[in-house]
Amino acid sequence: MITDPTLSSTDPKPSAPKAPKVIRITPRPALPIPQSGPVTRAPRPDGLPGTRWIDRLGRPLTDLRISVTDHCNFRCRYCMPKEKYAQNHNFLAMTELLTFDEILRVSRIAVANGIEKIRLTGGEPLLRKGIENLVAQLAALRTPAGKPIDLAMTTNGSLLIKKAQALKDAGLGRITVSLDGIDEDIFQSFNDVGYPAAKVLEAIDFARQVGFKVKVNTVVKKGVNEGEILKICEVFRGTGVTPRFIEYMDVGNANDWRMDEVVPSREVVARIAQRWPVESLSPTAPGETAARWRYLDGGGEFGVISSVTRAFCRTCSRVRLSMEGRLYLCLFASIGCDLRTMLRGGCTDSELETAIGRIWSAREDRYSELRSMGAAPSRQKVEMNYIGG
């Protein structure tokens, strides 16, 4: 006999249905828009038209990273671990996200004031419906000197074959694909949804055929995927694809980061140099995050990003716009300024320009530098899927 646990032993009638569970979403805190304060500007050092916003440490604003969604179809251990982002996780509703017109408006004002590079991130940006339409709008922007912006995207590659041609036709210039291993067991343990590395490699090859310049980002975690470094180099040597090995970072709070899990970039370079002779290269632009290296046999180049062991805060020129319109001044920030309220409250372009200028001009963030000194503030940090990498 099978006993139905919903039935009482003394009453054969079903019990009354339970009231539906009410899920409450706690709004993310936001800083108000500053109503006063200086807007600091400096001429471009190359003599081209226009000025750039400068922060309190003399750093110009030249790069804008835009997260277009907090959704992602992977559950990478260092970003959105499955136990903290379950299937019933409450992502933002579409009405809470910035519209493409709102993103374009912020971007247009930013480009007029010195932004030269825009990178679309997520979550997984290719999950945002119609993303190629936003790409086309951003690709049409021009700097005060009349030059097109450097428009790029970071993706996990799962939807890249489906979207690559449309993105190329829309004007996307560069693509960075996340790939934390070639070995299937290792890669699938990283993304934690069983997605094959072989499919990501296929997507990278397809993007190259479409005409994209492709970089590959690999987060290196001690005891997990150091053995993949040479494999990844081997796969992409001679292809024009540039792998970049990133130190495992304490972005957000969900990944339970520990310093003893970091593989220093110098060890990555040493490991590669034992296999192939290499030499360092000069940065392609001021404020570049990756240190560049090339193989002496002509096999191409690779990069390392040392945000833990060799902080580059002093040259950081990036600002991050979240999918719901918060402006963050640091990857390790805990709170951002609320531009969405301004955008939807009828502000003029001049008011929006002044607000962004004041926010950047007051900036003095240097979290990684302070961490290396043992003086980093102890605080909750915004998660990576919310503002991108």
Side-chain angles (χ1 to χ4, degrees):
M1 179 178 180
I2 300 175
T3 303
D4 185 345
T6 65
L7 300 181
S8 166
S9 59
T10 58
D11 187 352
K13 296 180 180 180
S15 58
K18 295 181 180 180
K21 182 180 180 181
V22 178
I23 300 175
R24 294 181 172 84
I25 302 174
T26 303
R28 290 179 175 86
L31 291 170
I33 299 300
Q35 301 301 308
S36 61
V39 175
T40 308
R41 296 178 179 274
R44 292 177 54 97
D46 52 17
L48 290 175
T51 60
R52 304 189 296 192
W53 290 312
I54 304 294
D55 73 5
R56 289 182 177 176
L57 300 182
R59 298 169 292 189
L61 175 55
T62 61
D63 295 48
L64 172 61
R65 300 196 175 192
I66 303 171
S67 177
V68 295
T69 180
D70 58 343
H71 285 252
C72 188
N73 51 350
F74 284 11
R75 288 296 177 268
C76 296
R77 306 297 305 165
Y78 54 82
C79 181
M80 296 178 67
K82 187 179 290 183
E83 62 271 18
K84 297 183 181 180
Y85 290 87
Q87 286 186 339
N88 61 349
H89 179 75
N90 293 293
F91 292 101
L92 293 174
M94 281 298 296
T95 54
E96 297 182 83
L97 307 184
L98 290 185
T99 66
F100 287 169
D101 285 344
E102 289 168 336
I103 292 173
L104 179 63
R105 188 181 179 196
V106 173
S107 300
R108 175 172 50 78
I109 290 171
V111 169
N113 287 276
I115 287 290
E116 299 168 348
K117 297 180 182 180
I118 294 180
R119 177 173 293 274
L120 300 177
T121 67
E124 171 47 48
L126 295 183
L127 289 174
R128 181 75 184 260
K129 185 177 180 180
I131 187 66
E132 60 271 23
N133 298 323
L134 175 62
V135 168
Q137 292 175 307
L138 295 174
L141 295 176
R142 294 295 180 267
T143 68
K147 297 173 61 177
I149 61 169
D150 180 358
L151 183 59
M153 177 183 289
T154 299
T155 173
N156 63 29
S158 61
L159 298 172
L160 188 52
I161 290 179
K162 179 180 179 181
K163 289 283 192 178
Q165 188 62 62
L167 293 170
K168 186 65 177 176
D169 293 344
L172 187 67
R174 297 185 292 114
I175 287 180
T176 299
V177 180
S178 300
L179 181 67
D180 299 312
I182 300 294
D183 178 90
E184 288 293 356
D185 289 338
I186 291 175
F187 180 69
Q188 292 181 36
S189 72
F190 259 91
N191 67 59
D192 211 17
V193 295
Y195 195 83
K199 287 191 174 182
V200 178
L201 291 170
E202 183 183 355
I204 292 169
D205 188 56
F206 186 81
R208 288 176 54 228
Q209 294 177 34
V210 168
F212 279 113
K213 181 179 180 181
V214 181
K215 294 180 180 179
V216 167
N217 279 353
T218 301
V219 175
V220 182
K221 190 174 179 181
K222 183 172 289 187
V224 180
N225 66 334
E226 305 106 307
E228 298 297 285
I229 295 170
L230 296 184
K231 295 179 186 177
I232 290 171
C233 289
E234 186 71 67
V235 165
F236 295 117
R237 273 173 46 85
T239 66
V241 174
T242 302
R244 303 192 303 177
F245 300 99
I246 304 172
E247 292 179 343
Y248 177 45
M249 294 181 287
D250 52 333
V251 181
N253 315 281
N255 63 7
D256 298 322
W257 179 88
R258 299 198 316 268
M259 185 68 188
D260 61 6
E261 295 175 322
V262 176
V263 178
S265 291
R266 63 180 178 274
E267 294 182 14
V268 173
V269 173
R271 186 179 293 232
I272 297 171
Q274 286 179 350
R275 178 75 174 274
W276 301 282
V278 300
E279 69 176 2
S280 62
L281 294 172
S282 300
T284 56
E288 191 171 63
T289 58
R292 300 169 59 220
W293 293 80
R294 77 174 186 93
Y295 305 106
L296 294 182
D297 64 2
E301 66 176 80
F302 66 92
V304 291
I305 299 178
S306 317
S307 64
V308 176
T309 62
R310 297 190 67 181
F312 40 79
C313 298
R314 291 290 169 160
T315 58
C316 180
S317 57
R318 287 165 293 283
V319 72
R320 292 168 170 83
L321 181 66
S322 76
M323 74 292 298
E324 63 174 338
R326 307 284 168 79
L327 199 66
Y328 288 85
L329 300 177
C330 178
L331 179 60
F332 304 96
S334 58
I335 194 167
C337 292
D338 181 12
L339 295 186
R340 189 182 65 183
T341 296
M342 283 192 74
L343 289 164
R344 298 183 180 178
C347 71
T348 65
D349 282 0
S350 176
E351 289 169 337
L352 186 58
E353 178 180 355
T354 298
I356 299 173
R358 282 175 175 160
I359 293 167
W360 184 262
S361 298
R363 176 187 187 239
E364 50 189 4
D365 297 69
R366 52 190 187 103
Y367 175 90
S368 289
E369 186 178 289
L370 293 173
R371 185 214 299 115
S372 66
M373 299 163 51
S378 177
R379 65 191 184 200
Q380 290 289 107
K381 300 185 289 292
V382 65
E383 299 297 341
M384 186 184 292
N385 74 301
Y386 184 68
I387 58 171

